[in-house]
Amino acid sequence: METLLACCIGFLTACGVFLMLRGRTFPVAMGLTMLSYAVNLFLFSSGRLNLQGAAVLGMSENYADPLPQALVLTAIVIGFAMTAFLVILAIRARSDLGNDHVDGKLPDSDGRRKENGA
Amino acid sequence: MSHLIIAPILLPILTAIIIMLPPVHYVPNRRRLVSIIATAIQLIISCFLLWETQQNGLTFYALGDWQPPFGIILVADTLSVVMVCLTTFLALAAICYGAAGEDVRGSFFHPLFHFQIMGINGAFLTGDLFNLFVFFEVLLIASYGLLIHAGGKNKTKAAVHYVVLNLTGSAVFLFSLAILYGALGTLNIADMALKVSTLPPEDVLLVKAGGLLLLIVFSLKAAILPLQFWLPDTYAAASPPVAALFAVMTKIGVYALLRVYTTIFGESAGPLAGLGMNWLWPFGLATIVLGAIGVMGSLDFRKVVANLVIVSVGTLVCLVAMQNTAATAAVLYYTVHSTLVTGALFLLADMIANQRGKAGDRLVSGRRVAQPVLLGSLFFAAAVTVAGLPPLSGFIGKLMILQAAVTPLQQALLWSVVLVSSLMVLIGLSRAGSILFWRVTGSESGGDKALPLQVFAVSLLLLASPMLVVFAGPLTELSVAAAVQLEDVSQTISTILLESSVSGGAQ
């Protein structure tokens, strides 16, 4: 279980970082989403992995740490709100700057940048 | 337990809600009045809190009466309360400036401003690392809104970069919190300090990884060398009162560095003592040099000021990395001085740009400013302060910095870098000033005169500088007391953890 979860988090992080390094706002937003998934899983696992553990006392033989569950809930809410804001901002940037490149300029076919990619 | 500690967080959020209520929201003058009066009340309360902290020493407030280390606590010690006072004072001036007309150029200026003050105050007062993350997010989401206030191409572009960078920073922050929680089993800063001192050897590397990730996050917030490229564009694009408030944002990063790396990874941390400081020191020095080059090379005045922020951050980070009492005291004094003067310069840059017609704040010859004597003398006072020339507060700040270096290597490096960069800042500002005020074309001036409220806001910030000189004696004593209090980790731990286990019985 540990190996599987570790690989999963690692893969999500790698995909997130790769997408974030792309030049357009959509892949960047996707990358940040992936990265926040990886973060949430990682945060969740910081209370150790165990099966059939209850977070409430007196409900089960073995207990799960409730704090990471509270932390991950907070992180999910914040991450979701921030991503929503980023998407709106990206749409605004698309209309303000005339293209969806993160720098507001499209690279030329020969690699140079030109204004507004007209 | 005094309930006063939570006031700097509750008051801004209540103010923001009141401003959004229809009777206030639809009348611009009422919004302004409520906003300014509420901030003034906050300033009085923060000063009272400071006085109380002086009387009682370190106190904490357990939210919902959940005792530490289980509940979230707010900690009021001299350092955090001074930072709260500084933020509120800067915010008062920025709101006064905004009330002169900038606030109606976009919607929800005042509520967002107060949400941001709440986030900043919370980040200073909290005694829990996860809570610090939450307050970072509060102040960031408010700052995203404020950054695109009044709109425009440049603002949107700067905001995209700023938001993406900070979201990445938040992800790294959470990674490091998860590692630290997994290894230490707590996120209360005092409890973490206790756990780190008795850490089993097999967990040392894990905590080290978490601690260094945290260093990256705080360096991004503070804008230290490899992570500072976002700052000049963002700050130069923001509308003036927002940029003035942002002057304190980088200092939050420095404050977090100071808090975490003195309390948790301080002298009692065994193998982890002084974690990351050997990285911070060279990067801090390089940040000063880069900022000074930026001051000399910038093509418009707002970027000059943004680069001055980078110089001050570099200086503060070097002081944090030195980890001695004199250096920590210098951090406090220099933070107050540099935040207020860079805030004033951002506001001043806007006043100058408004009066130069098309040239704006670009450093090219343009029309004559309408009030050369007023703006010129304000600029002169600000430049003398920020460059660290006597008789204003920058000089005393520089003196404290130079005195904080103890070993010959530190002295050689810090003295040469700080003094040479001061010279470069002086040259850059002289160049900017002579172009802005003297290289004029035509005889008529462009633009309107500055409004009294705008002049009041800038003078308020600049008058703080002579005050910092006049009361330099008590203020340095206060800084030294704050530094001693911060470095006395065992006292902090016993106040927070032992007192609570007696009174709350939770163990």
Side-chain angles (χ1 to χ4, degrees), chain B residues 31-43:
Chain B
R31 283 198 305 248
R32 290 168 180 166
L33 200 65
V34 171
S35 188
I36 291 174
I37 291 176
T39 320
I41 295 173
Q42 280 167 39
L43 185 61

Side-chain angles (χ1 to χ4, degrees), chain B residues 367-390:
Chain B
R367 296 169 102 170
R368 202 165 61 86
V369 293
Q371 295 163 297
V373 176
L374 175 74
L375 293 189
S377 31
L378 287 176
F379 176 85
F380 183 69
V384 166
T385 315
V386 82
L389 297 179

Side-chain angles (χ1 to χ4, degrees), chain B residues 222-242:
Chain B
I224 303 168
L225 177 62
L227 304 168
Q228 104 295 8
F229 295 101
W230 58 273
L231 191 139
D233 284 339
T234 311
Y235 281 34
S239 73
V242 177

Side-chain angles (χ1 to χ4, degrees), chain B residues 423-445:
Chain B
L423 181 67
M424 286 163 79
V425 165
L426 193 64
I427 295 170
L429 284 171
S430 325
R431 170 176 150 267
S434 47
I435 293 174
L436 289 175
F437 291 103
W438 290 340
R439 200 182 291 172
V440 290
T441 52
S443 55
E444 83 224 77
S445 56

Side-chain angles (χ1 to χ4, degrees), chain A residues 49-65:
Chain A
L49 297 175
N50 53 5
L51 288 176
Q52 292 174 345
V56 182
L57 291 178
M59 301 295 281
S60 157
E61 282 295 301
N62 85 26
Y63 295 110
D65 189 345

